[in-house]
Structures are given as structure tokens and as C-alpha cells.
Amino acid sequence: MPDTMHRIALARRPKGLPVPEDFAYESCEMPAPGEGEVLVAVTHLSLDPYMRGRMDDVKSYAPSVAIGGTMTGQGVGHVVASNAEGFAAGDLVTGITGWASHAVLPGTELRKLDPGTPPSAALGVLGMPGFTGWTGLREFADMKAGETLVVGAATGPVGSMVGQLARLAGLRTVAVAGGAEKCRLALETFGFDAAIDHRAHADASSLRAALAEVAPDGIDVYWENVGGKLLHAVLPLMNVHGRIPLCGTIAWYGGVEGDGTDHLPGLWRSILVKRLKVSGMIIFDHWDLYPQFLTEVGPKVAGGEIRYLEDIAEGLENAPAAFISMLQGGNVGKQVVAL
């Protein structure tokens, strides 16, 4: 075993979009597991939009990353040494390892994976993103066959799961994605009924007109993980008693999009007039449903009924660049780092 490990630390708080100088690639002493703990050598690391929020020093549903602290995130790896019952060297496991080559975690915070499971799949389609899509639809969408669903970031791990599950439930599915290639993937890989390139529309009004053409009967379910001009485009098209599961607003993370105008009064009125049900969700509140998700969705993934794409960056040192690109839509599918 090497004497040192590597990690990506938060060097400073970002202002707006993160830049490379906000991160530090460091070497440090290899940790040793204590009683009830396990040392894991990380092979794959998940990059997710929520991590941008953890870089800010603000009160939220989870603690911020401290300056000098390891960037947070889920990883998959093999057990190197174990002092925890039920774990042995060589076991494939997943847990919150952080952006690091190795991590020591309590056995209670690790989950064993089937040796035949693709490690990256446990971070995406069968991990937190896929679980988020399944849970939000199950708990908050009240889907009915024949309705229309719209989802942004539609070729990402959450959006693609939402679209495919909605299609299987008999809904008309409309993808919103960035660029012609992602729209093609939405139609050909994920089976959406229609796809709109938001980059082809300079403002919400133009995007709304395009959505109205492909959703002539209005929108019943809008999966909100984007915010920005897409939210402004969708709300006037929502049908009365429409539902909006809300899991993210990536267009506004770090001031990525916005003109500084307070649009809340107009949005609030739309929610009132349409009698919309908007349900904020944090996936950590729903982990008790995870075994049911795996039981239901796992066979669909194995059988090809649910498809997925991955964008894999090579090397821990390249995690910051991959993360920055992801926040601007540069990834195609679930963003993973292979160590």
C-alpha cells in the first residue's frame, strides 16, 4: 500500500461559476481505519450539480465544505483494509468518499455492491441521480397516462430517468436539452416524443413558443431541475392542477443565468392561478425507498428498458475541470471521474 493518498480540496469560495483556482490537488498521509472503519481505494467518483452549493458558506440542508476540506461526493471503490464487521479486502463498496484516491469510512456508511455491477452505474442510473428521478415521480408527480411531461437537462442522469419512466407510464414526454446532439440523443437513445434545443432560443418567450408547438394540450408535469428561462417558458403553459417536482435550479447556481430582476411575483401568481403543486425534494429524505428503487428499476436497466449515458473523465486531477464543464452543460450523460 502506498504511504500517501491524493485529494481535491476546496482552496477558496467561488464567486459565480467555479474556476480552477478554487480547487487544490494535494498529497497527504494515507489514513488507517480505526475500530468499525474501512479503508477504501476509490476507483470512480461522482460529480453532481449539488456540489456547487456545498462550496458556499451558507446554511442549507447539508454542511458546506470547509476551506481546505476535501470536496464532498459519492465514490465507488474496493476495500483495502477493514476493521468493520461484514467487510473484507476486495469488496466493492460505495459511500461518501469525497474527491479522493482513498477514504476511511465507518462500515455503517458504506454499501456493498454486487461484483458484477458496473461501478459507474452505482453513481448514476442506479445511484443517487436515478433514484432522484424515480422518487420524485413516485412521490410528487401523480402521473396519469395521456398527460404531458416536460423535463430540462433531459439527457443527464436525472432527466433521462424521468423521461423514460414517464414514457413507460404512458405520458407524452418532451425533452429540453442544450444543443442539437443532445436533442438527438433524447429522441433516439431515451425515446422522448419531442426535444427542444434551449440554446436555439434567446429568451423565455421564444422557448415557450417552441414548447407550445410540441405540447399543444399544455403541460401537466414539469420536472424542475434547471430554473432560469426554462421555468419562465414553462409556467404559462402549465395546465390547471399541474405538478412540479423541484430538485434543482442549475441555471442559477453561482449566478450562471439571470439579469438581476426579481421575477418571483410573476412566478408566484402563475402558481396561484394554475393551482399548481410545487414540491421541493431533497433525496436524502427518501433513502428508505432505495431498496424498492433497486428492485423495480434494476431489472429495467439490466434488460435495456432503461438506458443511460456516461461521460467519464480520467484522473482525479481532472475532476475540477470536468465539474466546471458539467455546470455549463459540457457533459453528455452522467459525469463520472475514473481514478
Side-chain angles (χ1 to χ4, degrees):
M1 187 187 306
D3 296 328
T4 59
M5 59 165 282
H6 303 282
R7 68 174 188 143
I8 302 292
L10 179 63
R12 65 185 188 186
R13 305 279 178 209
K15 296 180 180 178
L17 275 174
V19 296
E21 291 75 18
D22 296 328
F23 305 91
Y25 179 72
E26 299 178 346
S27 299
C28 48
E29 184 179 353
M30 182 69 68
E35 185 65 29
E37 293 182 330
V38 175
L39 173 62
V40 178
V42 180
T43 62
H44 293 80
L45 173 67
S46 176
L47 298 183
D48 300 285
Y50 79 84
M51 296 170 178
R52 172 60 187 86
R54 300 288 185 86
M55 299 173 76
D56 293 330
D57 187 16
V58 295
K59 186 175 181 180
S60 187
Y61 61 89
S64 301
V65 177
I67 298 296
T70 303
M71 283 292 297
T72 189
Q74 183 183 358
V76 170
H78 292 94
V79 173
V80 176
S82 173
N83 291 323
E85 185 176 352
F87 294 93
D91 286 346
L92 184 66
V93 297
T94 184
I96 304 301
T97 61
W99 296 18
S101 64
H102 295 77
V104 167
L105 292 169
T108 54
E109 296 180 9
L110 288 170
R111 179 172 61 87
K112 274 189 182 182
L113 298 176
D114 186 300
T117 302
S120 54
L123 301 175
V125 66
L126 293 177
M128 183 184 67
F131 179 48
T132 297
W134 177 86
T135 301
L137 291 181
R138 179 185 186 275
E139 297 294 297
F140 306 116
D142 189 23
M143 295 184 296
K144 301 176 183 65
E147 292 187 326
T148 296
L149 173 141
V150 171
V151 58
T155 60
V158 177
S160 60
M161 178 64 76
V162 166
Q164 292 177 94
L165 291 176
R167 176 176 51 80
L168 291 173
L171 280 74
R172 174 173 173 77
T173 55
V174 177
V176 179
E181 174 61 12
K182 288 185 178 180
C183 286
R184 183 189 67 79
L185 291 170
L187 296 171
E188 297 179 6
T189 300
F190 298 120
F192 281 86
D193 294 296
I196 302 294
D197 177 7
H198 69 80
R199 292 180 179 172
H201 301 277
D203 54 34
S205 177
S206 174
L207 182 56
R208 184 181 306 123
L211 284 167
E213 287 187 13
V214 298
D217 297 325
I219 299 167
D220 301 290
V221 181
Y222 169 50
W223 181 278
E224 174 62 296
N225 55 1
V226 173
K229 71 182 180 187
L230 179 55
L231 174 60
H232 292 281
V234 165
L235 275 182
L237 302 178
M238 291 293 297
N239 289 328
V240 172
H241 299 304
R243 287 82 65 198
I244 304 179
L246 165 59
C247 79
T249 55
I250 191 171
W252 292 322
Y253 291 173
V256 177
E257 179 182 306
D259 57 8
T261 303
D262 180 8
H263 296 283
L264 181 60
L267 299 179
W268 208 246
R269 177 167 173 75
S270 293
I271 293 170
L272 167 65
V273 172
K274 298 293 183 72
R275 284 87 93 194
L276 303 179
K277 181 180 180 182
V278 181
S279 303
M281 65 169 292
I282 300 297
I283 195 58
F284 304 129
D285 296 337
H286 303 278
W287 279 114
D288 59 309
L289 297 174
Y290 189 68
Q292 183 178 342
F293 160 72
L294 289 179
T295 298
E296 180 178 323
V297 176
K300 290 182 170 63
V301 174
E305 197 172 6
I306 295 289
R307 304 177 71 181
Y308 64 99
L309 296 172
E310 295 177 333
D311 196 327
I312 299 182
E314 298 288 341
L316 177 63
E317 67 277 12
N318 292 317
F323 180 64
I324 293 167
S325 175
M326 179 196 68
L327 290 177
Q328 300 174 85
N331 60 307
V332 178
K334 168 62 186 169
Q335 185 65 65
V336 176
V337 178
L339 276 64

